[in-house]
Amino acid sequence: MTDANRDWLDLASKELKGRDPSSLNWDTPEGITIKPLYVADDLPPRAADELPGFAPFTRGVRATMYAGRPWTVRQYAGFSTAEESNAFYRKNLAGGQKGLSVAFDLATHRGYDSDHPRVVGDVGKAGVAIDSVEDMKILFDGIPLDQMSVSMTMNGAVIPVLAMFIVAGEEQGVDRSALSGTIQNDILKEFMVRNTYIYPPEASMRIVADIIEYTAHEMPKFNSISISGYHMQEAGSTLAQELAYTLADGMEYVRAAMGKGLDVDAFAGRLSFFFCIGMNFFMEAAKLRAARQLWARIMTDFGAKSERSKMLRTHCQTSGVSLTEQDPYNNVVRTAFEAMAAVLGGTQSLHTNSFDEAIALPTEFSARIARNTQLILQHETGVTNVVDPLGGSYYVEALTRELADEAWRMIEEVESLGGMTKAVEQGLPKMRIEEAAARRQARVDKGEDVIVGVNRYRLEDEPKVDILEIDNAKVRDAQIARLKKIRDTRDQKSCETALKALEEVAASGAGNLLGAAVEAARARASLGEISDAMERAFQRHKATTRVISGVYGEAYKGDAQYELIQKKIADYQAERQREPKILVAKMGQDGHDRGAKVIATAFADMGFNVDLSDMFETPPEVASRAIAGDVDVIGVSSLAAGHRTLVPELIGELKAAGREDIIVICGGVIPEQDYEFLQDAGVTAIFGPGSNVLDAANVVLAEVAGMRRNR
């Protein structure tokens, strides 16, 4: 210990009135101990020698970083129809945005045309509906695809969407070799957290490899995959889990491409990454630094010779889960801090969320604030004047090393199982992330993690926020009409021939799926028809749902309020000779199941009898399951605004079966403006974002007890 350290310890001890300064240490969810002071001794070996632009790229992938060129300003958006989305894009591009980032609706993600009966409540919700090349051409009308970088978040239906993008470019006069941008094409994380998969893991990995192969040969400017940790953090992962599992996914995709006979340096330079940036400011910056450092190590191990192959280039998006429905203007501040963390971490492009996205899709007003947040960062803060401002920080350099070491341990665990595909099939990453999410929820509910405006400094009167409402029925009707017109006017024989050829490529394993799909899209096959052709060969994946136990309860061990709800449930069971029984249900094509899983876990630990529905259920399927299980209450988890269509249908199904006694409650991203509508439809209670789970359990138990008493 240096003399300076001893001096500091003496002074700190006096300020703390004799208490040991180590009592100020803080343990992160990653298990990293944060000290109150970092000094030169905490710097990792060789940290002082690292430079931006040189492997392992800890300090950035380019020598000049933002001093030479600022990051790309992107906004992830899609609004119901191709026409509305196109108008939004063109306005944002005129306002200073430099790249497009397309959000698709849930029906498109899951490979369904807008006229499919399973997507009645999903068309045009949470993104743009794309059924055909004609929709894609409208989406980019007036936007020159040989000049504009386009990022598309698509995984399940990645083959038809990318095929339609290629054909839309052709018919705009742009050769595929001139198209630039990124397709997400990261299916492994879908099986872990996001759930917008279509086919089983093995078949899905073939799709990934075929796209990498096709773009390597035909689209040299296009990034064939964006390996995404974003949804892992949104689902509740720690930052170390997000880092480790994202890089482990990347390793699996590299192996898949090399398995197609591609040399690693032929495609690795077009791989990109996508990370979430939350509110742990310095940890997020350190995460991006650690990611670049580890990826350089990984790619060197794969035999990469090109320095470009060893560079981890990333897009970042500010956190959606950190946004709060309560006191929502606080979200402007949260997004600004998160954006700064991403920039100080060295991102190549950035999307900033709008402050109202915990409530609904962003309005034009909120989207402008989000975009201007980045422009202010670029032009007013001076952050672009210096390459890697945090380089050499004792704290940040130590954090970078700690995160890298913890992530590497997790990567080694995945590798010991045979790689990420095997780990996903065994459910390891999904289980670990769900456990982390339950622990996080317990800390928030107990007030250990402070959320301003939610569990501390709460407003008595919440401000009203204007929201964007989508007329789902109107959008769906318009999409169905366009689909009908395409089917009536296309050369049906050519279309059927192209679809049959695609099915044969899928079934035989010979040929390239994307190449075959381009021919089908050119013949005006719809997105659903292209997906169905592959499904006939691959089948549709159905996940097994389960509820983890003990994690939420362990976090509340010894808590008086938690023990009180457990006693109430035990008393109910003794009196009624049955536990209160709840079915936690997901309806429609929304795959975000963090909220449903946390509620199911927490309620089960408290003593409820919990059943968890399968993903992507219809209202009749949920009603049937509830009646067969004789549940007391159905808890519907909603995120993508399908509640206005699906919940009234569910209540109608219960009434038609004579089971009005089954209580229906709703939770999730539900705007307060929708509460009256849902209550009039028969919903008993509504729990918006940030609701305390313990409080919700007390409300549900009281409702169940009252209903049973009145039977």
Side-chain angles (χ1 to χ4, degrees), residues 658-690:
R659 291 303 307 269
E660 296 98 327
D661 59 308
I662 295 178
I663 298 164
V664 175
I665 63 172
C666 290
V669 180
I670 302 174
E672 191 174 345
Q673 290 90 324
D674 287 352
Y675 284 16
E676 185 177 355
F677 170 85
L678 291 172
Q679 288 161 348
D680 289 345
V683 173
T684 299
I686 302 167
F687 304 99

Side-chain angles (χ1 to χ4, degrees), residues 111-131:
Y112 293 116
D113 285 333
S114 296
D115 58 358
H116 197 285
R118 295 195 75 87
V119 298
V120 171
D122 297 298
V123 176
K125 295 289 191 181
V128 60
I130 296 293
D131 291 316

Side-chain angles (χ1 to χ4, degrees), residues 146-452:
D146 55 346
Q147 301 174 33
M148 183 59 57
S149 171
V150 176
S151 173
M152 294 182 286
T153 300
M154 178 53 61
N155 301 287
V158 63
I159 287 286
V161 164
L162 186 50
M164 289 172 183
F165 175 70
I166 291 168
V167 175
E170 278 180 7
E171 297 186 8
Q172 199 185 80
V174 179
D175 188 82
R176 70 191 69 171
S177 63
L179 295 173
S180 66
T182 304
I183 189 80
Q184 193 162 99
N185 191 29
D186 175 9
I187 199 62
L188 287 173
K189 70 103 165 76
E190 299 295 328
F191 295 108
M192 280 187 264
V193 289
R194 180 63 180 87
N195 299 312
T196 53
Y197 44 71
I198 301 175
Y199 315 108
E202 188 175 342
S204 298
M205 285 298 293
R206 182 186 163 197
I207 289 171
V208 170
D210 276 16
I211 289 173
I212 294 174
E213 178 186 48
Y214 184 95
T215 53
H217 293 310
E218 302 285 339
M219 302 168 71
K221 294 183 177 181
F222 200 81
N223 297 322
S224 55
I225 190 166
S226 175
I227 305 153
S228 173
Y230 183 86
H231 293 101
M232 296 181 201
Q233 188 179 147
E234 294 290 274
S237 77
T238 67
L239 270 62
Q241 287 172 339
E242 179 192 8
L243 175 57
Y245 295 153
T246 303
L247 297 185
D249 283 352
M251 294 166 70
E252 199 78 340
Y253 297 136
V254 170
R255 290 192 187 102
M258 292 175 73
K260 298 285 288 186
L262 293 173
D263 179 82
V264 64
D265 287 320
F267 65 88
R270 304 308 304 178
L271 304 181
S272 67
F273 287 78
F274 174 30
F275 286 104
C276 180
I277 303 296
M279 286 298 290
N280 194 335
F281 186 89
F282 290 105
M283 187 78 85
E284 290 288 5
K287 180 184 74 182
L288 298 185
R289 304 172 94 252
R292 290 192 293 270
Q293 189 180 98
L294 289 176
W295 189 244
R297 173 181 177 180
I298 288 165
M299 294 309 293
T300 299
D301 289 346
F302 272 117
K305 301 294 189 298
S306 166
E307 291 299 288
R308 182 172 173 78
S309 297
K310 301 174 187 178
M311 293 179 184
L312 182 146
R313 296 161 300 110
T314 190
H315 170 70
C316 288
Q317 180 174 338
T318 59
S319 174
V321 79
S322 72
L323 304 178
T324 64
E325 178 191 41
Q326 298 87 349
D327 207 355
Y329 294 110
N330 288 338
N331 295 333
V332 176
V333 182
R334 292 187 177 101
T335 295
F337 283 138
E338 291 169 350
M340 179 69 88
V343 168
L344 292 178
T347 189
Q348 277 60 69
S349 65
L350 180 62
H351 164 86
T352 35
N353 286 334
S354 301
F355 73 84
D356 51 358
E357 288 187 61
I359 306 167
L361 285 171
T363 62
E364 185 176 324
F365 169 72
S366 67
R368 181 175 62 84
I369 292 174
R371 184 183 67 251
N372 286 352
T373 299
Q374 295 197 54
L375 298 179
I376 290 167
L377 266 178
Q378 285 191 355
H379 297 288
E380 298 186 29
T381 65
V383 74
T384 60
N385 296 334
V386 175
V387 179
D388 188 26
L390 294 183
S393 159
Y394 303 146
Y395 176 38
V396 172
E397 297 288 3
L399 269 184
T400 300
R401 177 185 59 189
E402 292 267 19
L403 265 175
D405 288 348
E406 179 61 25
W408 192 255
R409 283 191 286 271
M410 294 181 184
I411 290 171
E412 288 181 323
E413 180 183 38
V414 169
E415 289 295 285
S416 72
L417 298 174
M420 190 51 98
T421 302
K422 296 293 184 187
V424 163
E425 289 172 349
Q426 294 177 42
L428 174 77
K430 190 174 186 68
M431 178 183 70
R432 293 278 166 80
I433 291 171
E434 288 174 3
E435 289 171 349
R439 291 190 190 99
R440 162 69 171 168
Q441 186 62 50
R443 292 195 304 273
V444 172
D445 288 346
K446 292 170 71 177
E448 294 174 354
D449 288 2
V450 175
I451 310 295
V452 173

